[in-house]
Amino acid sequence: MIYLDSHATTPVAPEVLAFMLPYFTDHYGNGNHKMGWKNKAAIESARFNVAQLLGCRPNEIVFTASATESINIAMLGAVEANTTNRRHIISQPTEHPAVLSCLEQIKSKGYQVSFVKVDALGRIDLIHLEELLGEHTFMVSIMMVNNEIGTVQPVKGIGNLCRKNGALFFSDLTQGVGWHLIDMEHYPIDFAAFSSHKIYGPRGVGALYVKNGPQNSNISPILFGGGQEAGLRPGTHNAPGIVGFGKACEIIEAGDSDTQQLAANRDLLYRLLKNELSIKLNGCPHNRHPANLNISIAGVRGEELQGSLQNIMFSTSSACSSHSPKPSHVLSAIGLTNEEKQSSIRFGISKFNTKEEIYEAARLIIGQVKRLSKPVQQMASTR
Ligand code: PLP
């Protein structure tokens, strides 16, 4: 098995798992007693590690169950707390379905939603954003890094435009944390969401960043219960998950982000495939997630290739939207033809992939594409 789908989820690092295990077996207490205090201290230590990686204060981090939950709490909670007459939200068409679905909810509350244009590489048009921003704009939601094509957005510039216009800025950082240097203290971002299982931590735990902490910001709870996480995410803490998340952040903060190795393996895979096949790179070739490779291969359907190569794990579109048979909304937004969309596949390299795995995956993919492909013209715009 060769796992090349790390945008969907990363394997849990062995050190992370080892760190988590005692919180299932020994330190499971959850109350006002010695075992409970130990548990609470571990959660606060994890919060410190997450905050260190994000360059923010620990009280600005709220633990949740996923990035999806963080996105819902931030976007719907900010709208719930809105006492102004601003009823306009700006986003982009290439956001993750969690954001797009929240926008649908928000629209049903009477808000107007506009989408800023993206170009053929998936980069937003800042001039268009400036034109859309106005005195009625309440919030802008633009992700830092796209999960399908890896394109990086200029979040600092976007945030500065929001500040100028008095709008809140929410950013989904899920694919940016772990390799992109993030300095929330100096970023003009009000709320942000991210997740442990994209950075070699466990699933079922995410975080919401709230500038100045939940007590000092305009965000109302959308979940109600025991008051944990400053009332924004009530419910008994997932202590093993949270300590694992903290450990994963600590490992990255200690310098183990392996960005160069990821990019080297990603570029090697691209070169090997490009030497033998007619492929087109989707997304921005320069400013892109170091692990991301999204390509369209002339003459084969991505799903057919995936189904016939069961020992290599990759995606035919975003893993999070793979429940839907519809073609990728991201690839549609950047103007791919139907044929290019159907023949697209996405790889996400992980820090555990070896060079040998990359050579082997390329060999198997090339062989299979040659067997499956129908005679086609060279793709018009191979890059
Ligand atoms: N946002 C982005 C950009 C993602 O890539 C994902 C998951 O793939 C999510 C949000 C949702 O994350 P989670 O699985 O933690 O809900």
Side-chain angles (χ1 to χ4, degrees):
M1 294 282 179
I2 303 177
Y3 186 78
L4 299 175
D5 200 17
S6 72
H7 294 302
T9 194
T10 50
V12 175
E15 313 91 288
V16 170
L17 178 63
F19 198 72
M20 290 170 67
L21 288 176
Y23 292 89
F24 289 106
T25 52
D26 300 331
H27 314 312
Y28 47 80
N30 172 42
N32 193 16
H33 45 64
K34 209 167 164 187
M35 278 171 80
W37 301 332
K38 166 104 189 154
N39 212 275
K40 188 161 184 342
I43 289 169
E44 292 317 310
S45 164
R47 198 185 308 278
F48 176 83
N49 286 332
V50 175
Q52 284 283 101
L53 185 63
L54 268 275
C56 68
R57 279 171 281 144
N59 73 334
E60 296 178 310
I61 296 294
V62 173
F63 285 120
T64 65
S66 61
T68 299
E69 193 178 71
S70 306
I71 291 166
N72 276 261
I73 296 171
M75 295 185 75
L76 303 179
V79 161
E80 193 61 33
N82 181 12
T83 51
T84 71
N85 60 4
R86 291 174 177 245
R87 293 285 183 277
H88 174 224
I89 301 204
I90 302 172
S91 190
Q92 60 173 348
T94 51
E95 285 292 308
H96 187 273
V99 167
L100 296 174
S101 306
C102 283
L103 289 172
E104 284 304 312
Q105 283 296 313
I106 293 169
K107 258 205 249 177
S108 72
K109 294 176 190 290
Y111 280 70
Q112 184 211 339
V113 176
S114 313
F115 290 100
V116 63
K117 285 185 223 152
V118 294
D119 67 12
L121 304 181
R123 299 170 304 187
I124 71 154
D125 179 342
L126 280 173
I127 295 172
H128 187 216
L129 175 62
E130 206 162 359
E131 284 164 11
L132 289 174
L133 275 160
E135 56 179 332
H136 294 297
T137 308
F138 173 60
M139 180 164 57
V140 172
S141 169
I142 304 279
M143 71 198 336
M144 177 178 261
V145 179
N146 187 271
N147 47 304
E148 292 193 40
I149 54 175
T151 300
V152 181
Q153 302 295 2
V155 290
K156 259 182 146 174
I158 297 167
N160 286 333
L161 286 177
C162 292
R163 289 275 183 276
K164 223 169 83 184
N165 287 277
L168 292 170
F169 181 31
F170 165 69
S171 188
D172 175 0
L173 306 183
T174 308
Q175 297 286 348
V177 171
W179 68 273
H180 199 286
L181 191 65
I182 296 177
D183 178 14
M184 291 312 261
E185 195 189 337
H186 299 108
Y187 276 13
I189 294 180
D190 297 288
F191 311 117
F194 52 104
S195 199
S196 151
H197 72 106
K198 310 289 183 181
I199 57 167
Y200 310 97
R203 290 181 213 180
V205 55
L208 166 66
Y209 162 84
V210 180
K211 200 166 227 37
N212 301 323
Q215 284 91 350
N216 302 313
S217 91
N218 262 352
I219 183 162
S220 293
I222 59 162
L223 300 166
F224 301 92
Q228 291 91 341
E229 297 301 294
L232 276 192
R233 205 288 177 171
T236 303
H237 286 108
N238 168 9
I242 291 171
V243 300
F245 190 9
K247 187 70 184 171
C249 291
E250 187 191 324
I251 291 171
I252 296 165
E253 184 65 7
D256 183 32
S257 74
D258 287 324
T259 303
Q260 283 178 357
Q261 185 203 320
L262 288 177
N265 277 339
R266 184 268 312 272
D267 294 343
L268 173 64
L269 181 60
Y270 179 58
R271 274 199 311 279
L272 293 170
L273 297 177
K274 195 169 159 46
N275 284 345
E276 294 286 331
L277 306 173
S278 170
I279 63 177
K280 175 183 180 199
L281 179 67
N282 300 320
C284 185
H286 313 296
N287 206 1
R288 186 170 33 134
H289 192 305
N292 180 274
L293 180 61
N294 189 317
I295 52 171
S296 296
I297 308 181
V300 285
R301 288 173 60 90
E303 274 161 21
E304 199 184 352
L305 185 63
Q306 188 185 42
S308 64
L309 274 175
Q310 296 200 353
N311 286 341
I312 307 178
M313 311 300 129
F314 57 86
S315 284
T316 49
S317 64
S318 157
C320 311
S321 62
S322 60
H323 305 289
S324 147
K326 281 192 283 181
S328 151
H329 67 286
V330 174
L331 300 183
S332 296
I334 62 170
L336 263 61
T337 63
N338 281 340
E339 189 207 333
E340 287 168 338
K341 279 186 266 185
Q342 282 172 358
S343 68
S344 79
I345 55 176
R346 179 194 67 176
F347 301 102
I349 310 294
S350 96
K351 68 175 182 175
F352 297 117
N353 288 129
T354 61
K355 246 192 179 134
E356 290 67 35
E357 284 182 315
I358 301 295
Y359 277 106
E360 180 62 2
R363 190 183 69 77
L364 292 170
I365 293 167
I366 291 164
Q368 197 58 10
V369 169
K370 288 187 174 167
R371 268 189 289 279
L372 292 174
S373 59
K374 306 168 187 62
V376 283
Q377 305 239 304
Q378 184 86 355
M379 275 212 175
S381 53
T382 45
R383 303 191 274 267

